[in-house]
Amino acid sequence: MKRRNFVYGLGLAGLSIPLQSFSGTAERQISTNKKLLPKRLSEGDTIGITSPAGAIFDSEPYEIARENLEAMGLKVRFGEFAKSRYGHLAGTDEERASELNQMFGDPAIDAIISLRGGSGAARIIDKLDYELIRKNPKIFIGYSDITALHLAIYEKTGLVTFHGPMASSSWNTFNYDIFRQLLFEGKKIEYTNPENLNFLEVQTNNRIRTINNGYAKGELLGGNLSVLTSIMGTPYFPTDWSNKILYLEDIGEKIYAVDRMMSQLKLGGILDKISGFVFGKCTGCDPGGSGYGSLTMEEVVDHYIKPLNIPAFSGAMIGHIDDNSTIPNGIEAEINSNTGTIKLLKPAVK
């Protein structure tokens, strides 16, 4: 099963210990680059459903998407080409780019959500009208392959976008509560893993693993590891990773491939600039073949992250899982790697 056919999440808790850096040196400063905040959602708003990546071949996901969003009190409008097909893609590159541009430019559409991920989003990032997007800042939501769009929009416009559930995702109380608090209520929410205790009061599932102890501040920025690394070296990849909290997730990648991509981030200078690191879930990531002699996922992540001496943890509820959080790209946050929590320092909507 591949990365783009799943759906994911993250949760809520808090930090009460005074902020300090991992190394005991002066706290790294948050980037002062101006960011564009989209308007928050209100019941009765119209949300556009777009298909900027892979196609859907059955009718049911469209029905589920509409019913999900209408149950939130939103009006729904499908994009002009949302049901188109071009091979495995939801229409030609020109159609998919045109649809997304139209939705950003249409004053009757208050927010935009992707129908699904899949593949192909990177094929349209050179066809988007970034000046139009900058002049019409709106909530834009999606995950997995949509990471290419998040990073390109961040780099070209400064608009805060959201790595979160798709319109056709399996919505539940966990991910909907985060979605509503973040995008409807404009709360500076705190994320933590859901409590899952056995009768001995021991957390048995969704455990946090601390890589390096400490606390860090920075802008959240990241997404799907394989998509993120695939656009490195292009004009659409963020140029400034200083004091960012990098978060990553993936699905269906072999461990040797994850190692290769982490090496790319290291050699590209990205890891040396960030102030904190969060690894979510790598669903279905195994050694491949017989697994003979393979490193484990823990060994791979630790090899690249431990020497950085920055606060870091893994196991966050970010990834291709049902309990999928909505994470804002470009918003200042602080992480506590001892407890595996992320706290937003500013609202992500206005």
Side-chain angles (χ1 to χ4, degrees), residues 39-43 45 47 74 110-111 139 179 183-184:
K39 182 176 71 73
R40 71 183 62 195
L41 281 170
S42 298
E43 290 192 11
D45 280 352
I47 189 165
L74 299 170
D110 300 294
I139 289 171
F179 182 89
L183 299 182
F184 281 80

Side-chain angles (χ1 to χ4, degrees), residues 62-76:
Y62 296 99
E63 299 167 6
I64 291 172
R66 176 183 293 279
E67 291 170 18
N68 277 336
L69 297 169
E70 287 179 344
M72 298 179 195
L74 299 170
K75 298 175 183 176
V76 174

Side-chain angles (χ1 to χ4, degrees), residues 38 50 52 100 104 111-114 138-142 146 149-150 153 159-163:
T50 184
L100 192 53
F104 271 105
I112 305 166
I113 188 169
S114 299
K138 298 177 182 181
I139 289 171
F140 175 63
I141 316 162
I146 308 305
L149 299 174
H150 290 313
I153 291 172
L159 176 63
V160 171
T161 62
F162 301 89
H163 184 275

Side-chain angles (χ1 to χ4, degrees), residues 45-285:
D45 280 352
T46 297
I47 189 165
I49 299 179
T50 184
S51 286
I56 286 181
F57 300 94
D58 297 315
S59 62
E60 190 172 86
Y62 296 99
E63 299 167 6
I64 291 172
R66 176 183 293 279
E67 291 170 18
N68 277 336
L69 297 169
E70 287 179 344
M72 298 179 195
L74 299 170
K75 298 175 183 176
V76 174
R77 183 188 297 180
F78 282 95
E80 179 181 1
F81 303 108
K83 298 183 180 181
S84 297
R85 274 189 223 160
Y86 175 68
H88 68 286
L89 303 169
T92 65
D93 296 345
E94 291 72 21
E95 287 173 338
R96 288 177 290 117
S98 171
E99 178 175 278
L100 192 53
N101 286 331
Q102 287 173 10
M103 287 193 167
F104 271 105
D106 188 343
I109 292 178
D110 300 294
I112 305 166
I113 188 169
S114 299
L115 181 64
R116 65 156 294 181
S119 68
R123 293 171 58 125
I124 69 171
I125 56 178
D126 61 340
K127 298 174 177 61
L128 297 184
D129 188 337
Y130 293 103
E131 183 62 17
L132 174 72
I133 294 172
R134 187 185 65 78
K135 291 179 178 179
N136 298 275
K138 298 177 182 181
I139 289 171
F140 175 63
I141 316 162
Y143 72 97
S144 197
D145 198 60
I146 308 305
T147 295
L149 299 174
H150 290 313
L151 296 178
I153 291 172
Y154 173 90
E155 174 64 13
K156 296 298 185 180
T157 73
L159 176 63
V160 171
T161 62
F162 301 89
H163 184 275
M166 307 288 193
S168 59
S169 290
S170 299
W171 292 83
N172 56 38
T173 301
F174 181 86
N175 57 39
Y176 175 67
D177 284 349
I178 295 171
F179 182 89
R180 174 163 283 278
Q181 289 182 54
L182 184 68
L183 299 182
F184 281 80
E185 300 171 18
K187 290 186 176 180
K188 296 182 289 186
I189 64 176
E190 298 176 286
Y191 301 86
T192 190
N193 284 16
E195 189 175 82
N196 191 328
L197 305 179
N198 64 15
F199 75 101
L200 296 173
E201 298 190 351
V202 174
Q203 183 87 359
T204 55
N205 294 319
N206 299 321
R207 292 174 61 90
I208 291 295
R209 186 177 71 89
T210 299
I211 301 170
N212 288 326
N213 293 307
Y215 309 86
K217 281 185 178 182
E219 285 183 0
L220 291 166
L221 190 60
N224 184 271
L225 172 61
S226 54
V227 175
L228 183 148
T229 54
S230 73
I231 65 168
M232 284 182 68
T234 74
Y236 307 96
F237 188 75
T239 54
D240 183 10
W241 287 87
S242 300
N243 306 309
K244 300 297 190 291
I245 295 173
L246 172 64
Y247 69 92
L248 298 172
E249 61 82 25
D250 220 316
I251 183 173
E253 296 291 348
K254 303 306 179 187
I255 294 175
Y256 70 82
V258 174
D259 179 66
R260 182 178 64 232
M261 291 182 280
M262 292 297 293
S263 178
Q264 187 175 356
L265 291 176
K266 175 65 176 177
L267 295 174
I270 306 304
L271 298 183
D272 292 326
K273 297 176 182 177
I274 60 176
S275 61
F277 177 82
V278 178
F279 199 91
K281 307 293 185 180
C282 200
T283 305
C285 297

